[in-house]
């Protein structure tokens, strides 16, 4: 049973990353109509920025949790201003291709300087060790990752669905021209939204740095699983991507326990099954 | 909504004479390669990728569907052909047929799932399916995992064409490429191709005209997947191995890049794009990981400033259709 709980925990942690990443993708897709293929690369950058902050400047994990999303988010804003904004009005596919190119560039540069091996990032002292829950031993850091990302996900959901700013955001997604007529700076809102989505990816990167090592390709294969999560969830709602993200992480964890051979493929198999029954995904709207 | 190939469509109407002249020039140039000092294996490899890119372009350029998992057809056919040649000991022509049949069956299965969504969802689904297949090939014994299938015998095609002779192999590869190219050309200039283009321009309109657009898209997908499989099967004879690289999603990205560089929705663009990218990989190999960075930069530059691609720009400049 110990092993089952351990795999469930691993599943929940992976689910946190899926949820944070697919949430960022959904936010960006809502405003920019772009599937951000560079999301995995930006997640990797988030982890690397945390690594640099610690090893070059001695800035600890807690500051990295704030600074890394801000720095990488700022980088995202530069990308949006200099490149992505020129694609408005073109087919969605150009956004996919452009961000794919950006992902290749970012990953290639990091691979050049750091090879493909992993760099260690220490768990902060307070989160070291674990607690015995009676039925299992819980490493504190892992519990922290799950709870912290849940809080971030729900905060993002609240901002978008329940605040005035979120209302503008949703309105601008529906009808940018009308919202602009009300005196709201829509292009700036689009830029900031991209920054926010990228910041969420970077945050996931910082969270994962102590668990998975910091590697240039850490986002490359993850992003395809996240795409499958997005297809299953349908990207129709913010809550949908959060729930789907966590749920698929758990399902993956369970598969690892009961039938390890299929653990790499279970998300994709689920995607096929969901698409056969409901082509728009679980929470998706027809397009 | 503008479609992805708007920029590539020439200003004037299509003229098939331009395209036929260009085809004859291309065929003559390629046929003369063994007489020149060019390394034949480089050209053969480029021809396989050119066929792969043409098959891919049939889907995106003429029906507006971006498949981001096309490597699965290339790689699957490669594995089937390699396995048939090495383990079952079949003759080359049977090996190629089996490879194409394998890719065709796979494209039927994946097409049934993917064709139900459009645009970026279609791209993501095909990508996820190809990754699913990548993991399957990583684990099944017949592919030999990371090692791939190596040392494949080239054999005698039709009993008299010795494929271990480089010149013979070159002309066989060239003949297959040219025939497949003509098949694709015929398909896009047929009523079937016209319907595909109308779906690309405006699917709702095509539906209201009474076309069952899903069936047309499905057929295009299967045709494209099978031809990509043909490229993969022929590639086995050139490379003499079948490995995981051909199924990995980076390969799917490369074929998108080839088509984009050459010109989406142009007849000759994918061929030029494939030669450019393969040459680049060959001659920039010394730069290591910077090749990836350069490829990424080309992607970005193409999307931002050069959406017509090489052939698209030339065709636009001379107001010809190529």
């Amino acid at each position: 049973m110990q092993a089952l709980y351990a795999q469930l925990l691993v599943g929940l942690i992976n689910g946190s990353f899926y949820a944070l990443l697919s949430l960022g993708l959904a936010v960006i897709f809502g405003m920019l109509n772009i599937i951000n293929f560079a999301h995995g690369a930006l997640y990797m950058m988030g982890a690397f920025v945390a690594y640099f902050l610690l090893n070059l400047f001695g800035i600890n994990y807690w500051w990295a949790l704030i600074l890394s999303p801000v720095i990488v988010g700022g980088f995202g804003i530069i990308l949006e201003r200099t490149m992505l904004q020129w694609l408005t009005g073109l087919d969605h596919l150009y956004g996919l291709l452009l961000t794919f190119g950006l992902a290749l560039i970012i990953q290639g540069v990091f691979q050049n300087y750091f090879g493909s091996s992993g760099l260690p990032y220490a768990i902060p002292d307070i989160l070291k060790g674990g607690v015995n829950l009676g039925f299992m031993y819980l490493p504190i850091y892992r519990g922290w990752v799950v709870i912290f990302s849940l809080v971030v996900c729900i905060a993002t959901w609240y901002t978008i669905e329940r605040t005035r700013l979120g209302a503008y955001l949703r309105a601008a997604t529906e009808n940018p021209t009308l919202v602009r007529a009300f005196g709201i700076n829509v292009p700036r809102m689009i830029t900031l939204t991209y920054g926010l989505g990228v910041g969420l990816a970077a945050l996931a990167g910082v969270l994962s740095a102590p668990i998975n090592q910091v590697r240039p390709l850490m986002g490359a294969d993850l992003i395809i699983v996240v795409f499958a999560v997005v297809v299953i969830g349908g990207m129709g709602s913010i809550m949908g991507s959060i729930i789907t993200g966590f749920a698929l992480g758990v399902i993956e964890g369970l598969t690892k326990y009961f039938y390890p051979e299929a653990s790499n493929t279970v998300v994709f198999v689920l995607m096929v099954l969901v698409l056969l029954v409901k082509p728009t995904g679980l929470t998706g709207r027809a397009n | 909504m503008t479609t992805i190939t708007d920029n590539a469509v020439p200003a004037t109407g299509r003229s098939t004479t331009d395209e036929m002249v260009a085809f004859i020039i291309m065929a003559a140039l390629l046929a003369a390669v063994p007489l020149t000092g060019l390394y034949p294996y480089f050209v053969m490899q480029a021809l396989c990728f050119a066929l792969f890119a043409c098959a891919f372009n049939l889907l995106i350029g003429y029906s507006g569907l971006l498949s981001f998992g096309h490597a699965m057809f290339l790689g699957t056919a490669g594995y089937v052909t390699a396995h048939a040649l090495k383990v079952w000991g079949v003759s080359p022509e049977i090996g190629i047929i089996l490879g194409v049949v394998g890719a065709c069956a796979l494209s039927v299965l994946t097409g049934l799932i993917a064709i139900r969504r459009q645009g970026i969802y279609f791209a993501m689904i095909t990508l996820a399916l190809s990754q699913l297949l990548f993991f399957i090939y990583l684990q099944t014994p017949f592919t030999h995992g990371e090692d791939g299938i190596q040392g494949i015998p080239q054999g005698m095609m039709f009993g008299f064409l010795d494929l271990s002779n480089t010149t013979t192999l070159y002309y066989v590869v060239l003949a297959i490429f040219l025939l497949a190219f003509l098949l694709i050309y015929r398909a896009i200039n047929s009523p079937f191709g016209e319907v595909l283009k109308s779906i690309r321009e405006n699917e709702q309109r095509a539906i209201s005209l009474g076309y069952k657009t899903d069936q047309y898209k499905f057929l295009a997908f299967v045709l494209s997947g099978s031809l990509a499989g043909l490229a993969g099967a022929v590639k086995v004879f050139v490379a003499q191995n079948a490995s995981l690289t051909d199924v990995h999603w980076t390969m799917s990205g490369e074929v998108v890049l080839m088509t984009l560089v050459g010109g989406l929705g142009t007849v000759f663009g994918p061929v030029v794009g494939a030669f450019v990218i393969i040459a680049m990989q060959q001659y920039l190999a010394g730069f290591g990981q910077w090749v990836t960075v350069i490829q990424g930069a080309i992607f970005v530059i193409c999307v931002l400033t050069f959406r017509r691609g090489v052939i698209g720009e030339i065709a636009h400049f001379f107001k010809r259709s190529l």
Side-chain angles (χ1 to χ4, degrees), chain B residues 15-254:
Chain B
S15 143
T16 40
T17 38
D18 287 349
E19 288 163 1
M20 285 326 289
V21 170
F23 176 80
I24 291 166
I25 294 173
M26 177 180 78
L29 282 176
L30 288 172
V33 164
L35 308 175
T36 68
L38 263 171
Y39 185 53
Y41 274 93
F42 161 73
V43 184
M44 280 192 273
Q45 208 197 358
L47 280 175
C48 293
F49 282 107
L51 174 53
F52 183 31
C54 285
F56 171 79
N57 184 45
L58 174 65
L59 200 58
I60 184 160
Y62 297 92
S63 25
L65 291 169
L66 172 61
S67 159
F68 227 108
H70 241 51
M72 63 180 156
F73 306 120
L74 181 84
T76 298
Y79 275 133
V80 172
T81 304
H83 186 78
L85 290 172
K86 192 176 179 187
V87 180
W88 299 338
V90 300
S91 57
E93 63 277 11
I94 301 291
I96 292 176
I97 290 171
L98 288 174
V100 174
V101 169
C104 180
L106 179 68
S107 55
V108 168
L109 284 177
T110 48
L112 284 174
I113 298 160
I115 221 78
R116 304 169 75 181
R117 298 304 308 271
Q118 296 158 11
I120 45 166
Y121 280 96
F122 181 81
M124 288 195 285
I125 292 164
T126 43
L127 178 60
L129 288 172
S130 79
Q131 188 71 355
L132 168 67
L133 218 67
F134 175 83
F135 281 120
I136 292 175
Y137 287 144
L138 186 64
Q139 289 172 349
T140 45
F142 95 95
T143 60
H144 300 281
E146 306 271 356
D147 299 335
I149 307 178
Q150 310 236 346
I152 296 152
Q154 287 168 312
M156 303 284 276
M157 197 173 206
F158 304 120
F160 65 94
L161 291 168
D162 181 8
L163 296 186
S164 57
N165 178 312
T166 308
T167 313
T168 316
L169 180 64
Y170 179 82
Y171 282 109
V172 167
V173 172
L174 179 62
I176 293 174
F177 167 76
L178 291 176
L179 285 174
F181 186 91
L182 285 175
L183 175 70
I184 293 173
Y185 187 73
R186 184 73 192 87
I188 56 183
N189 286 299
S190 67
F192 169 70
E194 295 300 325
V195 177
L196 286 185
K197 277 172 251 176
S198 83
I199 294 172
R200 182 192 72 192
E201 298 304 329
N202 188 337
E203 181 159 7
Q204 293 308 319
R205 188 170 58 199
I207 293 172
S208 69
L209 285 171
Y211 290 109
K212 294 194 167 61
T213 56
D214 276 359
Q215 288 181 7
Y216 280 92
K217 288 195 287 185
F218 178 71
L219 270 178
F221 188 77
V222 173
L223 185 59
S224 172
S226 310
L227 287 166
L230 177 62
V234 174
K235 195 170 162 293
V236 165
F237 295 94
V238 179
Q240 282 189 280
N241 68 45
S243 69
L244 281 170
T245 14
D246 287 353
V247 214
H248 198 253
W249 62 269
T250 45
M251 182 63 82
S252 301
E254 257 167 45

Side-chain angles (χ1 to χ4, degrees), chain A residues 6-281:
Chain A
Q7 287 304 343
L8 267 179
L9 182 65
V10 170
L12 268 179
I13 289 170
N14 285 335
S16 322
F17 298 138
Y18 297 162
L20 280 173
L21 291 175
S22 63
L23 180 63
L25 281 177
V27 170
I28 290 172
F29 182 69
M31 279 302 286
L32 286 85
N33 267 324
I34 280 175
I35 275 289
N36 189 27
F37 214 116
H39 222 62
L42 296 162
Y43 157 84
M44 175 271 287
M45 270 182 88
F48 263 99
V49 169
Y51 177 82
F52 292 140
L53 286 175
L54 184 68
N55 291 291
L56 297 181
F57 306 105
I59 296 170
N60 67 20
Y61 175 81
W62 304 103
W63 280 104
L65 223 41
I66 300 166
L67 286 177
S68 175
V70 170
I71 293 168
V72 182
F75 177 70
I77 285 175
I78 295 172
L79 292 183
E80 202 279 332
R81 287 279 86 190
T82 53
M83 298 176 192
L84 291 170
Q85 66 153 335
W86 301 109
L87 300 182
T88 32
L90 291 174
D91 195 283
H92 301 340
L93 299 176
Y94 283 117
L96 184 81
L97 296 180
L98 179 69
T99 48
F100 178 72
L102 290 174
L104 289 184
I105 296 177
I106 297 170
Q107 275 160 8
V109 168
F110 276 87
Q111 257 187 301
N112 243 317
Y113 289 110
F114 301 99
S116 292
S117 54
L119 304 166
Y121 186 92
I123 296 177
D125 285 338
I126 315 175
L127 299 177
K128 274 184 183 149
V131 279
N132 200 339
L133 296 178
F135 57 92
M136 73 174 290
Y137 178 81
L138 174 73
I140 293 175
Y141 186 76
R142 295 179 179 236
W144 153 257
V145 168
V146 174
I147 290 163
F148 183 74
S149 48
L150 252 180
V151 170
V152 171
C153 284
I154 290 173
T156 313
W157 170 81
Y158 185 85
T159 314
I160 291 173
E161 299 288 333
R162 293 287 183 271
T163 63
R164 182 167 287 266
L165 178 70
Y168 289 149
L169 212 72
R170 281 177 289 133
T173 312
E174 293 291 321
N175 192 339
T177 329
L178 190 68
V179 174
R180 192 176 287 187
F182 281 109
I184 292 163
N185 189 340
V186 175
R188 183 186 297 159
M189 211 151 84
I190 291 178
T191 308
L192 290 177
T193 308
Y194 190 73
L196 170 75
V198 169
L200 283 171
L203 185 69
V206 182
L207 284 176
S208 99
I211 301 178
N212 314 307
Q213 289 186 319
V214 182
R215 286 180 302 117
L217 291 181
M218 63 194 280
D221 288 331
L222 182 66
I223 192 68
I224 302 177
V225 182
V226 174
F227 279 176
V229 172
V230 165
V231 171
I232 296 172
M235 229 154 48
S237 74
I238 299 291
M239 202 35 122
S241 37
I242 299 172
I243 294 172
T244 322
F246 275 99
L248 286 167
V250 171
I251 292 174
E252 207 180 38
L254 289 176
T255 315
K256 217 169 263 171
Y257 178 76
F258 289 107
Y259 190 61
E261 290 82 359
S263 60
N264 282 330
T265 50
V266 64
V267 174
F268 303 114
V269 173
L270 271 174
M271 182 193 80
V272 170
L273 293 177
V274 168
L275 285 173
L276 287 176
V277 181
K278 198 165 181 290
T280 50

